[in-house]
Amino acid sequence: LDDRLSSSCKSDKIYVFTPNGDLKQLPVGATVLDFAFDIHTQIGSCCSGANVNGKLQPIRYELHSGDRVEILTNKKQSPKADWLSVVTTDKAKNRIKRFLKDQEMKEAELGSALFYRRLKNWKITYTDRLLSDILKEYNLSSGIEFYHQIATEKIDINRLKDFILSLSEEKEIKIDRVEDEGVKTDKST
């Protein structure tokens, strides 16, 4: 029974130590980054690697039972989307996703402010229809995604201006045609 218990524990859990000797339980396959997020979200967010049993290891390094792990941090470090492929624990994945979502929202706010400033400079009035046409043109699913792409310069602002102006030219042409037809009709009666 003891052999079965120890082998079942080995198959799904590992036990690693902090520098102070505290024991942490993680799933098999857990990485340095999982360990860092297990200690604290801020430590995980700034994790740049670890000192595992006296050797420097990257965030992707897979931990083993009995390892003594000291997390190395860097204030300039922040979570990246590819970190989701590095971690195995739900806690780490959720914290990374939350950080990325918060970051996207902050960037979207900046992009939104930039977009509205540019519209004002171009003397173009914002409408829901305008946003809808832009989302279709750029194959985007939401305004947040659009504003985020402006902030991160994935959308060229000059190309966007040309597109918006082409929309208003199309509408002016349609309006002109309707007026011309109306004038012709008035003259013929």
Side-chain angles (χ1 to χ4, degrees):
L1 181 64
D2 286 342
D3 288 338
R4 276 187 269 150
L5 184 60
S6 70
S7 68
S8 70
C9 287
K10 286 181 185 176
S11 67
D12 63 348
K13 300 283 183 222
I14 60 168
Y15 301 91
V16 294
F17 296 95
T18 67
N20 296 336
D22 296 331
L23 187 63
K24 296 284 184 177
Q25 177 182 307
L26 295 166
V28 167
T31 62
V32 163
L33 199 51
D34 285 302
F35 180 79
F37 275 103
D38 190 68
I39 292 173
H40 193 278
T41 300
Q42 190 59 39
I43 291 173
S45 295
C46 297
C47 180
S48 60
N51 197 337
V52 180
N53 302 325
K55 288 187 174 183
L56 290 178
Q57 299 294 350
I59 61 172
R60 296 177 182 276
Y61 180 79
E62 191 174 314
L63 299 172
H64 306 284
S65 277
D67 284 346
R68 183 173 297 274
V69 183
E70 178 186 359
I71 298 298
L72 305 174
T73 60
N74 181 337
K75 290 178 185 176
K76 294 179 182 179
Q77 182 71 282
S78 65
K80 316 267 185 295
D82 69 336
W83 281 17
L84 292 169
S85 65
V86 173
V87 296
T88 60
T89 62
D90 288 339
K91 180 178 182 178
K93 285 180 184 178
N94 291 336
R95 300 288 162 78
I96 293 167
K97 286 178 187 176
R98 186 182 318 140
F99 177 88
L100 295 173
K101 191 69 168 166
D102 290 348
Q103 195 65 28
E104 181 182 28
M105 291 302 288
K106 286 177 189 172
E107 289 170 348
E109 287 174 18
L110 294 173
S112 172
L114 174 64
F115 176 66
Y116 289 110
R117 240 186 350 265
R118 291 295 175 102
L119 282 181
K120 187 176 179 182
N121 292 343
W122 300 332
K123 296 178 178 30
I124 296 172
T125 305
Y126 171 85
T127 63
D128 289 341
R129 173 69 187 195
L130 175 63
L131 181 60
S132 177
D133 289 344
I134 291 169
L135 294 179
K136 283 181 197 167
E137 173 69 14
Y138 286 91
N139 196 27
L140 301 171
S141 59
S142 70
I144 291 172
E145 188 179 3
F146 167 64
Y147 300 134
H148 179 260
Q149 288 201 5
I150 287 178
T152 56
E153 299 179 351
K154 291 180 181 169
I155 289 180
D156 181 299
I157 204 79
N158 292 321
R159 182 176 174 273
L160 176 63
K161 179 183 179 183
D162 293 343
F163 172 73
I164 293 171
L165 291 175
S166 76
L167 286 176
S168 43
E169 286 171 8
E170 285 175 21
K171 289 176 184 170
E172 288 170 14
I173 290 168
K174 288 177 187 172
I175 292 168
D176 289 343
R177 285 184 185 156
V178 170
E179 289 174 2
D180 288 347
E181 289 172 9
V183 170
K184 287 178 187 173
T185 307
D186 289 340
K187 288 181 181 176
S188 64
T189 50

